[in-house]
């Protein structure tokens, strides 16, 4: 599988290089001259930068270079390939969510135990993946993850929450977050989103644009078991539901 991915990557790079050569030879012969002039402006501008002329040349060189790159066929090709890859990975993550099955470690004896030990994580940071808690009983540990593209589902009814406050912190680019909370557990929600929808407990689903929303159940402060949920999304839906 890795060899196949490497072969695809090699072909993508080769096609991009071929497009660049064809563009220079047949479509845009002045591309090399433009690159040399823009890089020369940047170099001279950096050398003379304390003066006004140096600053002007420096920024003109960078602007000229960026415009040249954006107008290249090979750049547009690589951009389309990257966008297509993101779309394919997103749909694959929707179809095949990855289930995390943490291993419950046996408690060490006092003789073997140290001051600090590593605890088993429920989730990992993933750029392309949908993750969910396992369907069997699992050991709870606070969640603090970053997600690129994908959905996250956390079912708190299959675990035993500790006394006091349990923390769930999720930062995601694109994807949905669903938290299933037992009825007897109080919840505090701090949600920030650029564009998406929110459905919290019995509240009707609502659209949100560039907002920060804070909810808290009535008995949160006095509750023996409670969950603090902190989420940040660029685009996606937050659903918090009692089960």
């Amino acid at each position: 599988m890795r060899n196949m991915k490497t072969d695809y990557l090699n072909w993508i790079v080769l096609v991009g290089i071929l497009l660049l050569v064809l563009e220079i030879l047949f479509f845009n012969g002045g591309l090399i001259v433009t690159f040399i002039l823009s890089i020369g402006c940047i170099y001279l501008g950096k050398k003379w930068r304390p003066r006004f002329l140096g600053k002007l040349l420096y920024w003109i060189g960078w602007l000229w270079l960026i415009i040249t790159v954006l107008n290249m066929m090979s750049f547009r090709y690589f951009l389309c390939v990257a966008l297509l890859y993101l779309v394919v990975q997103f749909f694959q993550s929707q179809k095949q969510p990855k289930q995390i099955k943490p291993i419950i470690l046996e408690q060490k004896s006092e003789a073997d135990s140290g001051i600090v030990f590593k605890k088993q994580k429920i989730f990992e940071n993933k750029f392309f993946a949908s993750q969910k808690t396992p369907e069997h009983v699992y050991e709870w540990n606070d969640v603090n993850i970053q997600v690129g593209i994908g959905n996250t589902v956390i079912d708190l009814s299959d675990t035993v929450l500790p006394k006091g406050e349990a923390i769930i912190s999720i930062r995601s680019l694109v994807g949905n977050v669903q938290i299933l909370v037992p009825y007897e557990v109080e919840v505090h929600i701090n949600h920030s989103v650029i564009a998406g929808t929110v459905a919290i407990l019995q509240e009707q689903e609502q659209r949100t644009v560039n907002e920060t929303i804070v909810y808290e159940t009535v008995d949160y402060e006095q509750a023996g078991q409670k969950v603090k949920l902190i989420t940040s999304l660029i685009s996606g839906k937050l659903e918090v539901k009692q089960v």
Side-chain angles (χ1 to χ4, degrees):
M1 196 67 185
R2 287 183 179 178
N3 292 335
M4 188 181 297
K5 288 182 178 179
T6 304
D7 290 340
Y8 282 140
L9 181 61
N10 291 339
W11 276 108
I12 289 169
V13 173
L14 286 173
V15 171
I17 293 172
L18 181 61
L19 278 176
L20 180 61
V21 172
L22 291 174
E23 185 175 7
I24 293 171
L25 293 178
F26 299 104
F27 299 102
N28 193 355
L31 194 61
I32 295 178
V33 177
T34 305
F35 269 115
I36 292 173
L37 289 175
S38 59
I39 292 171
C41 286
I42 294 170
Y43 173 76
L44 292 175
K46 194 172 182 180
K47 193 174 181 181
W48 303 336
R49 202 167 181 183
R51 290 178 282 176
F52 174 75
L53 180 61
K55 292 179 180 179
L56 185 63
L57 279 174
Y58 182 81
W59 290 112
I60 286 175
W62 272 113
L63 184 61
W64 198 357
L65 183 63
I66 291 170
I67 292 173
T68 302
V69 171
L70 291 176
N71 286 325
M72 289 171 57
M73 287 191 304
S74 49
F75 172 79
R76 295 174 185 174
Y77 159 76
F78 281 115
L79 184 62
C80 289
V81 169
L83 291 174
L84 182 62
Y85 178 77
L86 289 175
V87 171
V88 170
Q89 290 295 319
F90 174 72
F91 281 108
Q92 285 182 350
S93 69
Q94 299 293 312
K95 291 179 181 178
Q96 299 176 345
K98 183 177 179 180
Q99 290 196 11
I100 308 297
K101 296 185 177 181
I103 301 170
I104 300 176
L105 301 175
E106 293 183 3
Q107 191 172 4
K108 294 182 178 181
S109 64
E110 291 184 5
D112 296 332
S113 62
I115 297 173
V116 178
F117 63 95
K118 189 174 182 180
K119 299 190 75 175
Q120 182 69 35
K121 295 175 289 187
I122 302 174
F123 293 108
E124 299 282 349
N125 291 338
K126 299 285 184 181
F127 198 79
F128 296 108
S130 289
Q131 301 184 85
K132 58 190 281 191
T133 50
E135 296 179 359
H136 56 76
V137 176
Y138 62 93
E139 182 184 18
W140 174 256
N141 282 310
D142 288 347
V143 175
N144 181 15
I145 57 170
Q146 299 169 7
V147 181
I149 299 174
N151 299 332
T152 304
V153 180
I154 300 178
D155 188 349
L156 298 177
S157 64
D158 289 327
T159 188
V160 178
L161 293 172
K163 291 194 183 230
E165 190 174 62
I167 306 292
I168 300 174
S169 177
I170 301 172
R171 293 165 297 282
S172 176
L173 294 179
V174 179
N176 302 327
V177 176
Q178 183 185 52
I179 312 294
L180 305 177
V181 184
Y183 279 98
E184 65 274 12
V185 176
E186 302 296 321
V187 185
H188 174 94
I189 301 159
N190 192 317
H191 177 59
S192 177
V193 62
I194 299 297
T197 57
V198 175
I200 295 177
L201 303 179
Q202 280 74 41
E203 294 285 331
Q204 188 174 358
E205 182 176 314
Q206 58 177 322
R207 290 192 173 276
T208 53
V209 177
N210 196 24
E211 285 189 38
T212 297
I213 298 171
V214 179
Y215 280 83
E216 187 175 282
T217 51
V218 177
D219 298 323
Y220 181 81
E221 294 297 333
Q222 297 80 26
Q225 283 186 318
K226 51 190 177 182
V227 175
K228 187 171 188 177
L229 174 63
I230 304 169
T231 52
S232 300
L233 305 177
I234 299 296
S235 176
K237 176 182 177 181
L238 171 66
E239 181 183 13
V240 180
K241 189 163 62 172
Q242 290 179 314
V243 292

